[in-house]
Every structure is written in structure tokens, then in C-alpha cells.
Amino acid sequence: MAICAVYTTNSLHSTCFVPTSTKTHLGFHQRQVFFYTSGKKTRKSSNFSEISCSAGDANTVVIGLAADSGCGKSTFMRRLTSVFGGAAEPPRGGNPDSNTLISDTTTVICLDDYHSLDRTGRKEKGVTALDPRANDFDLMYEQVKALKDGIAVEKPIYNHVSGLLDPPELIKPPKILVIEGLHPMFDPRVRELLDFSIYLDISNEVKFAWKIQRDMAERGHSLESIKASIEARKPDFDAYIDPQKQYADAVIEVLPTQLIPGDNEGKVLRVRLVMKEGVKYFSPVYLFDEGSTVSWIPCGRKLTCSYPGIKFFYGPESYFSNEVSVLEMDGQFDRLDELIYVESHLSNLSTKFYGEVTQQMLKHADFPGSNNGTGLFQTIVGLKIRDLYEQLVADSKATAPLQATKA
Amino acid sequence: RMASTSSTPEKIAEKVEESIKKAEEACAGDPQTGECAAAWDEVEEVSAAASHARERQKESDPLENYCKDNPETDECKTYDN
């Protein structure tokens, strides 16, 4: 099999640049590589024949998002894709249990698809999905690298319902590729491919509270079973997942509130956005004055706050011996439209117009976290990623002719 | 005892229940083993799948679904101007 028929279609959004000189680096875009040529059954051949020209003459921008299961990755992804416009949907007509989300600009792939052991395999070996031995980092690296270079790949599908590895699906190189899962920054080769990385750091107390909210009504679950599940996964989580946060360009920490003494409910949250300094194309957000240390309680005549109120903090800190800027919000909004008051005091948001953060938040008022710092900081990170993408594309457009003449 | 959620698809709800039972058995002897951790990891995976399935179901609006298939009917027609 593996007949690599490739058409260069102009019908797709991006313009297809066919180089006249065969030596330019752009020639790589016209190739398609199959990593799966085993006898596995594949879908209709029509899926194979077209290949998009990725982001015109720019390579795919790759974003990594790391977080544990049940820590809000999917909500973050919905906020992120919304910033780029257009709804993200599973691939049309493919496997109904596919984990992939595709929109006009963004493709989100779930790294669980690179499990090397399926559910039964992990049970036999006595390893969890968090364990590197249950994941195929070679394939992850090869395929992310290929997509970044504008080459479509046949990516396996890990079926979360059956626990089996399903036949692969074709992923075309998008403008923005987001890889989300447990290990996007674990393997140094994959880490090297990331243009930006995010880690969602949920404290144990909040994780427990969220899982109770998620699972308590589920048949068979009890407080004990939720606790046992978290406890059993914790050693592997601490060994393999948590250390990745030192590599992230942005970390969103979710902690119990300090506004209510002894609160453990996980409803009121203290959320910290930790932003690395000195990252190219990424200038951290600041409150009032860049580099100062500021504590701000916006509640008063211009912002309605009920108990326990809202408290902001901003300042420079060090994080794993990196210089970072931290923006913190404790508490929650009562009226989402008043968020504009907070937005007007933040700088470097990378918005296209005044009020865009508030507008994005209002658009998804029903998402979890819309009334606290998780939603606010996820939205801000989404805008920062858009900015980073636009700068990268502008830069590569400026340098592309140079490279062509060199070649 | 809380009532079971009717919104979780039956197939997944059963899987959650079954995986918890198996995890409790696997950990009955020694809770420090890899088998025990793997069993509870399966519980987490299936619970997450159940939550995602509930989320998907919540999002589906009966009228929206109908209009996807029947955009020409009176209740579905929309004009930009």
C-alpha cells in the first residue's frame, strides 16, 4: 500500500506556493509521509489524496499544553480556539471517538494517542498512563516534527472508552498545532519543537475538590474511590508530570483561596499566572507598572464584589531559577461585564481592541472558571499565543526571501 | 447514596462502576503495587471519558440538531439580511 498521491490544491484557505527552484526549503511542503504502513485497515482512500499547504509559506507553530487528567485542559482548549475564531470540531466522518479537534487555524491533538501500551497492556505491566514506558516518544517526536515541517501524518487514536488503540487518522499540518496531554514537555526532542508551552498546575486540594464535583454523582464512585484514585496516581504524577512545569513558558497555578480562612471547597480560587521573562515573541502581562510589586483590591465604587471579594497581586519572582513575572487573582467576579474595569488596568494583553478579554470571557460565560482567575488567565494566554503566532508568521515572511536566495 | 446520573451514557457508566470494583480488588492485598496504581489510573481515565460524554450531551440542543439536518424548514431558516 502507501501510494503517496499528493495534490497541491488551491481550494484550501492558504495559498499554495510552488517554488520554481527545487532547492528552496519550501519544497518539503509537498511531501507526505506515512509512519503507518503496516497492514492496518485505513479509511477511504479519498482521505489520503489531498494535502494542505500548511500555513502558506510559514511552518506550523507548535504549542504544548501539559496538565493532569481532569484539570481543565479541554476548557482551556475551547477558550484558545475561540480566540482564533471558528468552532473547533472533531474530524468529519472519521472515528467518532477521535480525540482531535480541528478548526480553520488550529488543530488540537491529544497526546494519549501516543500510548504505546493500551489499557490491558498497562495493567499487565503494572504501569499507569503517566509512566513514560506506556508512551511512544519516538513516534510523538517524528509526527510532531513532520507536522511542523508541513507534512501530513497518520496518527494513531487512543480510544478512551474502549482503552484500545484504534486505526490511525490523517492529520494535515495546520497553521497552529496544539499538543495537549500528560507529557508534551517530557521528551527533550519534543520540547525542542515547541514554540510555546503551558503547564496547568492544580494544587492537590483543588484537584480533589474538582474531582468530587466531576465524579461524585457517577455510579459507583464515592469519596473513598476518588481519594484512592488520586493517591494511587500521585507517585507517577510527581515523578513524571509535575517536573515538566520548569520548562513551561507560562504556568497557571490554581490554589485554594486565601480570602476565606480554612476554605477547602475549591469554589473560590487563588489563581496565579507565572510568565517566563525573556521568551522571544512573548512579553508578560503586567498590572499598573511593569516590574513593580503591586497588591490591588479593585472592589469599591467601580466594581461590585460580594464576600469574599477580589484581590490582585503582581510582581517579579523566581521560579525554578528562572526570572518570571507573576499575576495573581484571588476571589471571583459577581458580574462578568465589570471585568472590563480589571482589563483596563492590565497592560501587554495583546488584545486587538479595548475590551477583547472581557468580550471573550462573556462569549463563554457558561464555561467552568468564567467567574474567576482560571478563565481570565486562560483567555489572556490565548491572546498571547495569537500574538506570538502573528509575530512568528511576520518574521518568517520577512526572512523567507532571504533564505530562498541563500539556497 | 446519591442517585446515578442519567446523563452519562449507560455503556460508560457501567465501565466506571466496573473499573472501581476491579481497582478495589486489585488493591485489596497491597496498595503499593503497580497493578493497584494501573487499576486506579483506569478509573480516572474512564471517569474523565464519562465527564466528557456528559459535557457533549449537555451541549447538544434538540432544535440545533434538527436544524443541521433540516435547514429549509420554517423553524430553522435564518437569513443574514
Side-chain angles (χ1 to χ4, degrees):
Chain A
M1 59 162 284
I3 305 150
C4 301
V6 174
Y7 300 86
T8 47
T9 46
N10 284 310
S11 60
L12 292 139
H13 299 288
S14 50
T15 42
C16 204
F17 178 64
V18 182
T20 41
S21 150
T22 48
K23 270 190 172 174
T24 57
H25 70 296
L26 294 160
F28 287 114
H29 290 291
Q30 322 298 331
R31 219 152 33 98
Q32 187 175 14
V33 167
F34 294 94
F35 291 100
Y36 273 78
T37 43
S38 58
K40 269 186 189 165
K41 201 161 65 70
T42 39
R43 279 172 289 116
K44 282 188 201 97
S45 58
S46 64
N47 276 333
F48 284 111
S49 48
E50 49 174 302
I51 176 168
S52 84
C53 301
S54 74
D57 43 353
N59 280 355
T60 296
V61 173
V62 187
I63 314 286
L65 172 67
D68 194 11
S69 161
C71 288
K73 283 192 296 273
S74 33
T75 307
F76 191 2
M77 282 304 102
R78 288 194 289 168
R79 286 192 202 278
L80 177 67
T81 45
S82 163
V83 167
F84 287 97
E89 280 171 0
R92 220 159 274 175
N95 186 331
D97 292 318
S98 162
N99 306 306
T100 307
L101 286 173
I102 297 172
S103 75
D104 288 350
T105 43
T106 334
T107 294
V108 183
I109 60 177
C110 173
L111 295 178
D112 289 352
D113 291 336
Y114 294 108
H115 282 338
S116 55
L117 298 170
D118 63 10
R119 199 176 280 160
T120 335
R122 293 196 300 270
K123 273 198 160 169
E124 278 166 7
K125 290 232 163 71
V127 294
T128 67
L130 310 163
D131 197 305
R133 285 173 290 172
N135 295 281
D136 187 346
F137 290 104
D138 292 339
L139 183 67
M140 190 192 291
Y141 168 67
E142 279 170 40
Q143 298 208 335
V144 174
K145 171 109 180 41
L147 286 168
K148 190 166 175 139
D149 291 340
I151 303 161
V153 299
E154 284 282 307
K155 180 190 63 55
I157 299 173
Y158 178 73
N159 189 317
H160 286 98
V161 179
S162 69
L164 299 168
L165 284 156
D166 285 352
E169 61 185 350
L170 182 73
I171 304 291
K172 294 176 199 166
K175 289 181 179 156
I176 299 166
L177 174 71
V178 185
I179 56 171
E180 57 103 349
L182 295 163
H183 308 93
M185 287 97 92
F186 183 87
D187 187 283
R189 295 167 300 169
V190 181
R191 206 190 303 146
E192 197 56 39
L193 294 173
L194 300 175
D195 293 293
F196 195 75
S197 52
I198 308 138
Y199 185 91
L200 296 185
D201 190 4
I202 316 300
S203 69
N204 291 329
E205 297 96 322
V206 177
K207 207 183 266 187
F208 186 50
W210 283 3
K211 295 219 165 142
I212 289 174
Q213 279 172 36
R214 186 191 73 182
D215 293 337
M216 207 47 191
E218 195 64 60
R219 210 164 59 199
H221 260 303
S222 62
L223 220 54
E224 287 71 43
S225 67
I226 295 166
K227 205 179 268 173
S229 180
I230 293 178
E231 285 300 317
R233 296 171 78 254
K234 200 168 180 305
D236 281 356
F237 177 82
D238 291 341
Y240 310 120
I241 312 304
D242 199 55
Q244 291 179 90
K245 62 190 183 193
Q246 62 188 295
Y247 306 114
D249 298 314
V251 177
I252 298 180
E253 291 178 0
V254 184
L255 304 149
T257 182
Q258 289 180 335
L259 299 172
I260 309 169
D263 180 86
N264 268 323
E265 273 181 84
K267 288 206 176 85
V268 183
L269 300 171
R270 179 164 75 103
V271 188
R272 288 158 56 86
L273 174 58
V274 181
M275 299 164 280
K276 216 180 240 177
E277 289 288 339
V279 178
K280 207 180 176 194
Y281 306 121
F282 173 62
S283 54
V285 175
Y286 65 88
L287 182 63
F288 296 118
D289 182 38
E290 194 166 13
S292 298
T293 299
V294 183
S295 184
W296 180 46
I297 297 172
C299 305
R301 286 185 199 117
K302 289 182 191 148
L303 191 76
T304 321
C305 302
S306 60
Y307 181 78
I310 301 176
K311 193 175 172 188
F312 276 87
F313 169 85
Y314 163 75
E317 277 180 28
S318 109
Y319 186 81
F320 290 96
S321 68
N322 284 312
E323 209 185 308
V324 296
S325 283
V326 177
L327 179 65
E328 177 182 317
M329 176 186 157
D330 196 350
Q332 56 194 33
F333 304 110
D334 290 325
R335 294 167 49 103
L336 200 48
D337 45 347
E338 286 177 350
L339 179 60
I340 190 75
Y341 179 66
V342 171
E343 181 179 349
S344 65
H345 290 87
L346 292 167
S347 302
N348 257 353
L349 286 169
S350 300
T351 48
K352 298 235 186 225
F353 53 87
Y354 173 66
E356 193 177 13
V357 170
T358 307
Q359 194 200 60
Q360 278 294 333
M361 292 279 286
L362 282 167
K363 217 167 156 183
H364 306 296
D366 55 329
F367 285 10
S370 288
N371 65 342
N372 62 44
T374 58
L376 175 63
F377 293 160
Q378 286 175 0
T379 304
I380 290 175
V381 171
L383 293 167
K384 295 310 284 184
I385 290 173
R386 184 182 65 186
D387 192 30
L388 174 120
Y389 165 72
E390 283 170 356
Q391 290 183 62
L392 266 167
V393 169
D395 254 26
S396 73
K397 271 206 182 111
T399 54
L402 280 172
Q403 281 177 335
T405 46
K406 255 188 270 171
Chain B
R1 197 96 186 91
M2 233 176 272
S4 73
T5 39
S6 53
S7 52
T8 311
E10 191 57 25
K11 195 180 84 178
I12 306 177
E14 266 170 28
K15 272 228 164 87
V16 175
E17 208 175 6
E18 193 190 301
S19 65
I20 293 170
K21 263 203 207 107
K22 273 198 252 164
E24 280 163 352
E25 281 164 23
C27 300
D30 182 5
Q32 301 298 326
T33 60
E35 287 77 49
C36 171
W40 279 117
D41 189 37
E42 177 183 330
V43 173
E44 170 55 34
E45 195 172 282
V46 185
S47 305
S51 152
H52 286 144
R54 277 200 302 274
E55 205 56 37
R56 257 196 303 264
Q57 240 161 41
K58 204 169 64 187
E59 269 164 34
S60 63
D61 180 290
L63 182 63
E64 293 289 338
N65 285 344
Y66 173 77
C67 288
K68 252 181 219 159
D69 301 326
N70 308 281
E72 285 313 301
T73 51
D74 280 344
E75 47 273 72
C76 297
K77 273 184 200 160
T78 52
Y79 300 99
D80 285 333
N81 54 38

